[in-house]
Amino acid sequence: MPQAVQKKIESPELALTYAAVASVNGAALVVQTPTGQMQARKAVSCLLAPAPGDQVLVSVDRFGRAYVLAVLARPDALTENRLSLTGPTRLTVTGGDLTLSAEHGMDLASPAHLSLAAGELNVHAGRAEIGLAETNFTGNALSANIVRIRTVARSVDSFVKNWVQRMTSCLRYVREHDETQAASARQLVEGTLTVQTGNSVHLAEGHVKIDAEQIHLG
């Protein structure tokens, strides 16, 4: 066998040992082994980020390169468990569902963007609070069944082709100006229509018609 091929297939001897994490500085670790302290790096396959005090499994080759393969025990139960990955990451599940559950809460955070895409989206919560600087909603249909709505807005612009409202009673309080511009308008009142103003002005370019059984002016 050629000498070059022999060197290519040679593998350095490995040794596995237990160690304790002495300190963590980014990706660099200092571990305490039975033979003393040494520098080590977290292996890519070790998803749980080591923390000081953790008992870990370390592989060491004959060149002195050491990698933390796994976190075996964590004496301090209050230490945060952190999964550490570098670079673009994708979690793929084939032939089944993915469920994430937490007893006390769950947070999703990203300084860039967060996307949700699904054939069906169900959200159930006892209370919801949403703060958005700008919102764009596009949909074909919206159905809402709500007991009470309270809205506070500085200004509202609505562009609607057809609007039908059915209410038991309606009260409107306008502090300043109220104006309606329409091609035509009609009011149908089954009972009594009362209009009370400080001053009233009716202007018509054509004619004004008042039709009633009795008309009282005065």
Side-chain angles (χ1 to χ4, degrees), residues 12-13 38-41 58-67:
E13 297 179 358
M38 66 171 53
Q39 299 284 336
R41 297 185 65 85
V58 180
S59 68
V60 185
D61 62 21
R62 64 180 182 178
F63 300 113
R65 294 176 300 190
Y67 288 91

Side-chain angles (χ1 to χ4, degrees), residues 26-82:
L29 306 172
V30 176
V31 295
Q32 180 68 45
T33 69
T35 58
Q37 287 190 348
M38 66 171 53
Q39 299 284 336
R41 297 185 65 85
K42 183 178 74 71
V44 175
S45 60
C46 182
L47 300 182
L48 183 62
D54 287 352
Q55 300 297 316
V56 296
L57 178 64
V58 180
S59 68
V60 185
D61 62 21
R62 64 180 182 178
F63 300 113
R65 294 176 300 190
Y67 288 91
V68 175
L69 302 181
V71 176
L72 304 177
R74 176 159 287 175
D76 189 356
L78 299 180
T79 301
E80 180 185 57
N81 296 317
R82 184 169 57 89

Side-chain angles (χ1 to χ4, degrees), residues 185-193:
R186 182 174 65 161
Q187 281 185 311
L188 299 177
V189 181
E190 293 183 358
T192 302
L193 174 63

Side-chain angles (χ1 to χ4, degrees), residues 55-208:
Q55 300 297 316
V56 296
L57 178 64
V58 180
S59 68
V60 185
D61 62 21
R62 64 180 182 178
F63 300 113
R65 294 176 300 190
Y67 288 91
V68 175
L69 302 181
V71 176
L72 304 177
R74 176 159 287 175
D76 189 356
L78 299 180
T79 301
E80 180 185 57
N81 296 317
R82 184 169 57 89
L83 300 182
S84 178
L85 298 170
T86 302
T89 304
R90 183 185 299 269
L91 178 61
T92 302
V93 178
T94 302
D97 298 331
L98 175 63
T99 301
L100 299 178
S101 62
E103 183 178 358
H104 298 292
M106 183 179 298
D107 296 329
L108 296 176
S110 173
H113 67 275
L114 181 65
S115 300
L116 294 176
E120 182 177 348
L121 177 63
N122 297 318
V123 179
H124 302 278
R127 182 177 179 272
E129 183 175 347
I130 302 175
L132 301 172
E134 183 177 350
T135 305
N136 294 321
F137 175 81
T138 301
N140 294 328
L142 174 62
S143 299
N145 187 359
I146 303 174
V147 176
R148 183 175 181 269
I149 297 178
R150 183 175 183 270
T151 303
V152 179
R154 185 179 298 272
S155 63
V156 177
D157 292 332
S158 297
F159 300 90
V160 184
K161 185 175 182 180
N162 297 301
W163 192 330
V164 178
Q165 290 181 311
R166 295 177 176 87
M167 294 171 282
T168 302
S169 61
C170 177
L171 299 176
R172 292 200 317 159
Y173 298 93
V174 181
R175 180 177 299 177
E176 295 182 359
H177 180 67
D178 186 17
E179 181 175 344
T180 301
Q181 297 184 10
S184 63
R186 182 174 65 161
Q187 281 185 311
L188 299 177
V189 181
E190 293 183 358
T192 302
L193 174 63
T194 301
V195 179
Q196 181 176 351
T197 66
N199 298 285
S200 180
V201 178
H202 295 267
L203 301 175
E205 295 181 357
H207 62 278
V208 176

